[in-house]
Amino acid sequence: MSEESLAKWLLTGMGGILGWGIRQSLPPRTFAFAGRVRPSFWPDAPGVRLDLAVPGEFRSVLEMLKPEVVVHAACISRAQECADFPELTRQVNVAAVEEWLTTSTSQASFPLYISTEQVFDGRADSYAESSPVCPLSLYGETKAEAEALVLAAGGAVVRLPLLLGPEVGIGRCGADSAIVKAVRAGQRLPLFHDEYRTPVAAAALGPMLWQIANRRLPGVFHLAGSESVSRLELGEVACELAGLAPNFNAVSAVDFDGPPRSLKLNLENTRSREVLGWEPPNLRQSLAWTAQPPAEETTSVQTEES
Ligand SMILES: NC(=O)c1ccc[n+]([C@@H]2O[C@H](COP(=O)([O-])OP(=O)(O)OC[C@H]3O[C@@H](n4cnc5c(N)ncnc54)[C@H](OP(=O)(O)O)[C@@H]3O)[C@@H](O)[C@H]2O)c1
């Protein structure tokens, strides 16, 4: 696959920590991204304007670029924002996905959809790639609806856990950096002692995503870390590695005054280990990547031909 044809890979939703993580693992000139603004960490990749809140825009972009692969991560991802703006959320998180999948271009395009652990309710000890979805929030519900559309179209769904990484923009950072930043600013943070996740470094994900897309592997994959930790434990280890004294107020997620929260979202990586060779990093390995992501040249894009 030449660089020119790689440019026909279209990425959406690259403005957050996932986009930063993806940027660590490949030369930007090989991809085009679509979004509302150009993220500072994608300075030289070709970009095209896309607002998913506007019906028809995704279709126009797809018809213009005719991408061979679409990695679609853009969505309204904050549970409170979803609850506050349900119609907009349905447009951006579901209707736009339907528009993407029903747009016919001259060539078949492989759909890779970025989803979330939030499609589960947290009542089970852990969730396999084959576990039935059971979302609690509108955010999780819309992501689960989009997943079903992508799977019906023969695409891949990649479910991610809580992502770790540095601050990459205003209000855009890994969960660890948000905590460290607040502690550094002298805040005493309330952190859940009873909400468990299997967090992973955003910088670890790119090579796995490229592999799924290059091999056109349909179905669900989980790319989570190997350890289940509470937010409080995450904060303690993140502070330790940053050389800061932890300054937290341990609170219960049960008392959270907001959209319903799943208490225990532990993703199993069974299929991704078997099919992709994914080796889930533990918490300290992932946190180390926040400070020092893998060098660009250490991870290369594998193509069908290579
Ligand atoms: N962060 C996590 O811990 C986490 C965990 C599990 C799964 N995920 C998944 O990972 C993906 C990326 O999340 P993230 O945290 O890196 O990003 P994010 O900070 O939530 O940003 C979302 C991205 O979607 C884009 N977007 C939102 N509304 C849009 C619209 N109307 N039109 C076009 N683009 C729009 C944003 O564009 P702008 O830059 O223009 O705002 C941004 O690039 C999402 O699919 C999310 O479900 C994230």
Side-chain angles (χ1 to χ4, degrees):
M1 186 183 285
S2 67
E3 278 183 9
E4 198 174 294
S5 63
L6 273 172
K8 296 207 169 166
W9 285 40
L10 179 67
L11 314 178
T12 74
M14 290 296 105
I17 189 64
L18 175 68
W20 174 86
I22 284 177
R23 174 66 186 82
Q24 303 311 305
S25 68
L26 83 167
R29 65 181 183 280
T30 54
F31 290 78
F33 71 87
R36 294 177 295 188
V37 291
R38 174 184 288 277
S40 60
F41 44 88
W42 287 89
D44 42 6
V48 59
R49 194 185 146 73
L50 171 64
D51 184 352
L52 299 172
V54 182
E57 275 207 8
F58 208 175
R59 189 179 301 283
S60 302
V61 166
L62 292 163
E63 285 173 350
M64 179 177 66
L65 295 180
K66 301 180 178 52
E68 293 170 1
V69 168
V70 178
V71 178
H72 183 51
C75 70
I76 299 178
S77 65
R78 285 163 188 80
Q80 187 62 60
E81 194 178 343
C82 293
D84 291 344
F85 304 100
E87 277 181 27
L88 179 65
T89 298
R90 289 211 162 275
Q91 164 59 34
V92 172
N93 291 11
V94 185
V97 170
E98 206 161 10
E99 189 176 304
W100 161 37
L101 297 167
T102 56
T103 299
S104 56
T105 52
S106 52
Q107 61 176 16
S109 165
F110 182 74
L112 194 166
Y113 177 68
I114 302 295
S115 190
T116 166
E117 59 194 359
Q118 302 288 333
V119 297
F120 298 119
D121 62 11
R123 295 193 177 104
D125 279 342
S126 61
Y127 294 92
E129 280 115 338
S130 56
S131 299
V133 295
C134 45
L136 282 186
S137 65
L138 180 61
Y139 170 52
E141 204 177 298
T142 55
K143 293 294 275 189
E145 283 176 36
E147 279 190 3
L149 294 169
V150 173
L151 293 174
V157 165
V158 179
R159 293 196 190 118
L160 301 178
L162 186 67
L163 296 181
L164 306 178
E167 183 171 22
V168 299
I170 297 167
R172 301 280 168 83
C173 56
D176 51 331
S177 299
I179 296 172
V180 166
K181 187 180 178 189
V183 171
R184 207 167 257 143
Q187 291 175 30
R188 183 166 162 76
L189 269 191
L191 284 186
F192 300 133
H193 61 79
D194 54 359
E195 184 181 278
Y196 286 82
R197 302 288 186 260
T198 44
V200 76
L205 302 171
M208 295 295 119
L209 298 176
W210 313 139
Q211 191 187 155
I212 294 168
N214 272 313
R215 293 170 62 191
R216 307 287 200 272
L217 295 170
V220 178
F221 292 92
H222 289 176
L223 294 177
S226 66
E227 276 180 83
S228 173
V229 293
S230 71
R231 296 272 179 169
L232 186 60
E233 289 163 341
L234 168 62
E236 286 168 349
V237 181
C239 281
E240 181 199 315
L241 295 182
L244 293 169
N247 183 20
F248 304 126
N249 180 20
V251 295
S252 172
V254 176
D255 302 326
F256 179 69
D257 184 21
R261 299 184 72 91
S262 304
L263 283 187
K264 195 167 46 176
L265 288 177
N266 297 327
L267 295 182
E268 296 171 19
N269 295 295
T270 315
R271 184 167 182 241
S272 51
R273 279 176 188 270
E274 283 172 10
V275 178
L276 307 175
W278 168 240
E279 292 175 16
N282 65 30
L283 180 63
R284 282 173 186 271
Q285 286 170 324
S286 275
L287 287 172
W289 283 4
T290 293
Q292 197 168 15
E296 261 175 38
E297 55 274 18
T298 61
T299 48
S300 62
V301 180
Q302 294 179 348
T303 66
E304 290 126 324
E305 286 79 22
S306 63

